[in-house]
Amino acid sequence: MNLTVTIHTLPDCVNCERTEQFLTRSSIPHASTPLSETGPIRDLITEHGYQSAPIVTVTDDTGQLIDHWAGLRPDRILALKSTIR
C-alpha cells in the first residue's frame, strides 16, 4: 500500500518547517500545501479541534484518511517511518 503524506502549513510556521525537515531526514516522501488552500482539511480541523500547525494527513491509494495529527510530532513521524518501510 502506498501512503501519501501531506503537511498543511501556515506561513512563517517554525513547527511546519521542523516537521518538513524531520520527514525529509526520515526519508518519508511528502507534499506541502498551505492551509489556506485546503478546503477539505477544514472539516478535520473542526472535528478534532486542532489549534496548531502543521496539520499532517496520511492517506492511502484510494484517498482514504489513514492518520492525522497537528503540530510537531516526532513520535508520530517515527511511527509512520516504521509503517512505510
Side-chain angles (χ1 to χ4, degrees), residues 5-63:
V5 178
T6 305
I7 309 168
H8 306 274
T9 64
L10 292 173
D12 301 319
C13 169
V14 173
N15 283 338
C16 299
E17 292 171 14
R18 289 183 179 160
T19 297
E20 188 155 10
Q21 290 169 354
F22 203 95
L23 285 164
T24 299
R25 283 193 310 259
S26 298
S27 300
I28 298 173
H30 58 280
S32 180
T33 184
L35 270 168
S36 62
E37 294 180 12
T38 54
I41 195 72
R42 289 190 182 112
D43 291 338
L44 184 70
I45 292 169
T46 301
E47 181 179 338
H48 293 279
Y50 289 146
Q51 296 181 353
S52 63
I55 307 296
V56 179
T57 57
V58 182
T59 56
D60 66 11
D61 295 336
T62 66

